[in-house]
Amino acid sequence: MNPIELGPIEIARGVHWIGALDPDLREFDIILKTANGTTYNAYCVRGSDGVAVIDTVKENRAADFFARLEQVAAYDEIKAIVLNHLEPDHTGALPELMRRAPNARLYISIKAQIMLKGLLKSEELVYTPARTGDTVSLGDRHLRFLHTPFLHWPDTQCTWLEEDGILFSGDVFGCHYCDPRLFNDKVGDFRFSFEYYYQHIMRPFREHVLDALELIEPLALNLIAPAHGPILRDAPANYVRRYRQLAEPTLYNEAGGHAKTLLVFYLSSYGNTARMAQAVRDGAEAIDGVRVSVYDLQGGEVAPFVDLVEEADGIVFGSPTINGDAVKPVWDLLSSLTMVNVKEKLGAAFGSYGWSGEAVTMLEDRMRGLKLRVPVKGVRVKLIPTEAELSLCHAFGRDLALHLTGQATRKVITMEELNRSQTHA
Ligand code: FEO
């Protein structure tokens, strides 16, 4: 079927899908692959006292959206426009919709207000900020808001149609998968896309997913209407359960939460950084309550290490400096950590070098950029570590363990302090 010919689809009595299909898209936001394109789902809810439009579509699909909307409602009937999320794939048609529907009031989450001004470039916007529990009456139907921030932007919320048990969930429970048959019991197998979307979009905000599930799990769900991908009318609670599973820790923690976990990742050309890694390990292990693990990045894949880091309390990178840089496998792992939440984990770096030794500082900077705390200045050793230098590494490991166990005065080294110390060295 030509996607443009698809009309509005009734998903419940008086509730229509009026979104847009984008079957040829292969990359979303530069970072996500999609073998099946995507959909920008928007919905129209008719009540006895007015109509609500929930979300819009990407700007280049606005014509499809308006064509579908006009088949189920007149613009002057629209009393509420709800935006669950302000990213442009859902707000591209908003300015034009507000122009065409002058009687409509705009509802956004309390955290979306600044973004809305940035999006519409106007200080004179009229809107209602919504909190969890706030409602909009359409007469015989009511929309209730659930504040679900950081899924996956600070502004995100879900909207619950009380009388029908429909959750308009925004990006949550969505995926990039376009199939004009629309419903999860009709479309092809989209499980891989659902999981991929979770891993890349929701996983970094795992704690917020768990908070949102506390609000969503008690709902008597008849249907989940996400902003992308299939509409989940068959067994919607299964998708909520799957989110719960995905948001729980990936790995069984043998330390049982009693010990702090410190991971030491290293690479070594001539065994020098490896010897430093062993000394760091020995130093950290000297402190009770810390479980230290050492991994040679040369022998590992990135994905399981990312799982390990997600559960760890601290990570230490050992890298030689080659051509003024840390080595690629270290950067590969660091760049993959954007998939998980590493904020406030302890970070540190060390390494042997030949003549310049920039790697340690570069790694520390990157970890600060990822919002790790870097409380102990890294250790750099020129070429082969002496016994005295290995003792420094041992003390460095010990310091890290003391910070992890809360026995050291917490001190986060700032960029200014770091620059000062390097200038005076
Ligand atoms: Fe589908 Fe985060 O926008």
Side-chain angles (χ1 to χ4, degrees):
M1 181 189 303
N2 182 337
I4 295 171
E5 291 170 2
L6 187 70
I9 305 292
E10 191 165 52
I11 64 171
R13 182 190 53 80
V15 182
H16 288 84
W17 174 88
I18 53 167
L21 308 182
D22 195 352
D24 299 324
L25 189 82
R26 291 293 173 268
E27 262 185 8
F28 187 90
D29 273 2
I30 310 170
I31 54 168
L32 285 187
K33 299 283 184 194
T34 169
N36 301 78
T38 194
T39 66
Y40 313 107
N41 296 336
Y43 302 92
C44 181
V45 180
R46 177 172 290 281
S48 61
D49 184 25
V51 164
V53 172
I54 299 175
D55 292 327
T56 75
V57 299
K58 199 172 177 180
E59 190 175 13
N60 66 0
R61 291 292 189 280
D64 300 2
F65 163 77
F66 286 118
R68 289 178 182 122
L69 171 58
E70 287 168 12
Q71 291 178 60
V72 292
Y75 290 114
D76 61 4
E77 293 181 292
I78 301 171
K79 69 181 290 188
I81 300 170
V82 174
L83 293 180
N84 282 330
H85 173 34
L86 266 59
E87 200 167 2
D89 51 324
H90 307 295
T91 51
L94 177 67
E96 180 61 17
L97 178 62
M98 291 174 74
R99 198 181 64 71
R100 294 189 190 191
N103 302 330
R105 178 167 280 277
L106 182 61
Y107 294 87
I108 57 175
S109 80
I110 48 170
K111 290 206 170 144
Q113 299 176 70
I114 294 171
M115 289 181 191
L116 186 72
K117 287 172 187 159
L119 190 75
L120 299 186
K121 300 299 177 204
S122 170
E123 291 293 323
E124 295 171 12
L125 294 163
V126 179
Y127 59 84
T128 301
R131 294 174 169 77
T132 294
D134 289 350
T135 57
V136 174
S137 173
L138 301 174
D140 59 348
R141 282 180 149 144
H142 296 82
L143 298 168
R144 180 155 60 87
F145 299 105
L146 309 177
H147 189 44
T148 55
F150 292 100
L151 300 181
H152 62 122
W153 275 17
D155 65 317
T156 44
Q157 64 176 1
C158 296
T159 302
W160 173 239
L161 180 54
E162 291 182 337
E163 290 77 8
D164 299 80
I166 295 176
L167 183 70
F168 301 99
S169 58
D171 282 344
V172 185
F173 307 120
C175 64
H176 293 311
Y177 188 91
C178 178
D179 186 324
R181 293 170 291 184
L182 278 185
F183 295 99
N184 65 328
D185 53 313
K186 297 283 187 195
V187 301
D189 190 338
F190 64 99
R191 285 174 297 178
F192 72 96
S193 184
F194 185 88
E195 304 273 321
Y196 178 84
Y197 191 88
Y198 176 89
Q199 292 298 337
H200 287 81
I201 300 293
M202 298 297 163
R203 184 176 175 182
F205 307 100
R206 188 173 77 173
E207 289 79 7
H208 297 285
V209 171
L210 292 170
D211 289 344
L213 290 175
E214 294 295 317
L215 297 175
I216 292 169
E217 284 170 337
L219 302 175
L221 286 167
N222 285 326
L223 184 149
I224 297 174
H228 295 290
I231 295 166
L232 309 172
R233 70 178 177 188
D234 181 39
N238 285 354
Y239 298 89
V240 179
R241 273 195 285 278
R242 183 63 184 142
Y243 256 51
R244 168 67 69 178
Q245 290 169 346
L246 290 168
E248 297 289 357
T250 316
L251 300 171
Y252 170 65
N253 185 352
E254 290 172 41
H258 305 304
K260 296 290 183 184
T261 50
L262 182 68
L263 311 181
V264 181
F265 296 102
Y266 74 95
L267 271 135
S268 191
S269 304
Y270 299 105
N272 298 326
T273 302
R275 290 181 67 200
M276 294 173 74
Q278 301 307 327
V280 171
R281 181 199 63 190
D282 293 346
E285 278 185 345
I287 302 301
D288 283 342
V290 178
R291 184 186 195 200
V292 191
S293 308
V294 181
Y295 303 98
D296 184 347
L297 282 172
Q298 205 166 10
E301 302 271 342
V302 166
F305 287 150
V306 171
D307 291 344
L308 280 170
V309 170
E310 187 175 31
E311 305 301 327
D313 299 295
I315 48 177
V316 192
F317 288 99
S319 173
T321 298
I322 296 180
N323 293 334
D325 201 352
V327 290
K328 185 172 178 296
V330 176
W331 289 125
D332 287 346
L333 178 53
L334 269 167
S335 67
S336 298
L337 296 186
T338 54
M339 285 180 64
V340 295
N341 181 9
V342 291
K343 193 174 171 185
E344 284 297 300
K345 290 185 192 293
L346 180 146
F350 63 90
S352 162
Y353 66 96
W355 60 89
S356 52
E358 295 94 335
V360 169
T361 307
M362 293 168 90
L363 294 173
E364 289 173 336
D365 288 350
R366 178 64 184 135
M367 284 188 274
R368 288 189 190 95
L370 288 168
K371 298 192 169 58
L372 284 95
R373 56 193 175 95
V374 183
V376 184
K377 191 178 173 199
V379 179
R380 302 187 310 161
V381 167
K382 193 165 179 70
L383 295 170
I384 300 170
T386 63
E387 285 308 313
E389 286 166 331
L390 289 174
S391 295
L392 268 181
C393 294
H394 190 281
F396 172 67
R398 190 173 182 281
D399 273 0
L400 295 176
L402 289 172
H403 277 275
L404 269 186
T405 53
Q407 298 176 69
T409 309
R410 182 170 158 167
K411 168 130 180 56
V412 177
I413 298 173
T414 65
M415 288 299 288
E416 264 182 3
E417 289 170 320
L418 194 64
N419 291 337
R420 220 168 26 240
S421 72
Q422 284 173 341
T423 307
H424 296 165

